[in-house]
Amino acid sequence: MTTRLMTPAERVLEVLLTRRSVSPRRLQAPGPNADELEGMVQAGMRAPDHGGLHPWRVIEFPQRERAALAHCFQAEKLRRDPLATPTDLQRAAEHATRAPTLLGFVVSPRPHTKVPLREQWLGAGAALGNVLAAAHQLGYGACVLSGERCFDAILARELGLGPNEYLAGFISIGTIREAPPPAREWLSHTVWSRWPGPAAGSRQAPGSAHPVVGPDLG
Ligand SMILES: Cc1cc2nc3c(=O)[nH]c(=O)nc-3n(C[C@H](O)[C@H](O)[C@H](O)COP(=O)(O)O)c2cc1C
């Protein structure tokens, strides 16, 4: 049996089709080096971005500051749950210390531009996706996790966020120690419909246009 070699286009698509989130528990050192990290950030900056605003940024948490970050996470946990157990606090600290490389992903919408805020949020999300895809392309495992701490105003200030910034989550990146479980297969027809023309649209209740027509159904 002969195996057909993938075309360059198929190889590029495969990077996107095989990306999986790899939980920090499945990661180990080393994380990416400075050049690789730069590549990931550059990939984020290549995401579609109305107005070239880059309404996002990343904060790297170097190893030497992880103990301090763990302390901030524990303090946040205690603010939220004064009855937190030592196990809860240990878990909070591990979110700061476990990943070989840890980035905060911050959405920084620019309110005084003509670009609607929702497009800025979409642009930031696209950038986040590119950062994760670039990590995968470079052979690393990565995962973004938020959790309730991302909504804590005191923690946000401690991390240096401004009043119009939002902590979207923390990106863990590292060498894959244990492969993640297989991805759930989604069928594109759940998100892909084909517009049947305006007459059909006017017969539908707003918001009820559930995508149903896929390539093999239409
Ligand atoms: C901004 C953001 C925050 C997230 N926060 C969490 C989280 O706190 N907990 C969680 O289980 N998954 C969270 N996820 C989802 C995971 O990162 C991951 O995408 C999901 O488990 C699906 O896995 P997959 O990326 O391999 O498809 C978050 C995703 C995004 C985009």
Side-chain angles (χ1 to χ4, degrees):
M1 193 176 82
T2 55
T3 316
R4 187 175 70 85
L5 289 176
M6 274 193 285
T7 65
E10 285 170 341
R11 272 202 298 276
V12 170
L13 197 55
E14 201 197 15
V15 170
L16 297 176
L17 296 182
T18 57
R19 188 207 64 79
R20 290 283 351 252
S21 291
V22 185
S23 105
R25 278 194 312 277
R26 298 174 190 268
L27 299 177
Q28 65 184 8
N33 63 32
D35 284 345
E36 291 169 325
L37 212 44
E38 167 75 17
M40 293 175 203
V41 174
Q42 287 288 340
M45 297 184 85
R46 283 306 315 130
D49 179 4
H50 191 171
L53 299 174
H54 297 130
W56 59 277
R57 63 189 180 93
V58 290
I59 304 169
E60 183 184 357
F61 298 101
Q63 283 297 337
R64 66 175 179 279
E65 302 299 345
R66 295 293 188 88
L69 184 65
H71 185 75
C72 292
F73 280 12
Q74 289 179 321
E76 184 281 329
K77 177 68 185 168
L78 280 170
R79 279 195 292 282
R80 197 161 22 99
D81 178 7
L83 301 179
T85 65
T87 308
D88 295 332
L89 296 177
Q90 173 66 22
R91 214 169 278 150
E94 281 170 5
H95 280 285
T97 57
R98 187 175 263 149
T101 297
L102 188 68
L103 305 175
F105 190 90
V106 178
V107 179
S108 306
R110 322 278 178 216
H112 304 299
T113 67
K114 287 185 178 166
V115 182
L117 286 178
R118 66 182 199 170
E119 294 179 17
Q120 298 189 41
W121 276 90
L122 282 169
L128 174 61
N130 272 14
V131 171
L132 296 173
H136 173 62
Q137 162 78 333
L138 290 171
Y140 292 99
C143 180
V144 56
L145 297 174
S146 51
E148 292 185 57
R149 68 176 60 88
C150 287
F151 299 87
D152 185 81
I154 296 175
L155 179 66
R157 268 203 307 279
E158 288 170 340
L159 300 188
L161 269 71
N164 293 319
E165 292 192 310
Y166 303 85
L167 188 54
F170 292 89
I171 307 175
S172 296
I173 312 172
T175 300
I176 300 174
R177 180 181 59 76
E178 186 189 343
R184 188 169 162 191
E185 296 250 339
W186 293 101
L187 297 175
S188 54
H189 75 258
T190 60
V191 296
W192 178 4
S193 66
R194 202 164 290 136
W195 190 50
S202 67
R203 288 197 300 271
Q204 276 174 340
S208 70
H210 191 71
V212 287
V213 182
D216 47 354
L217 299 176

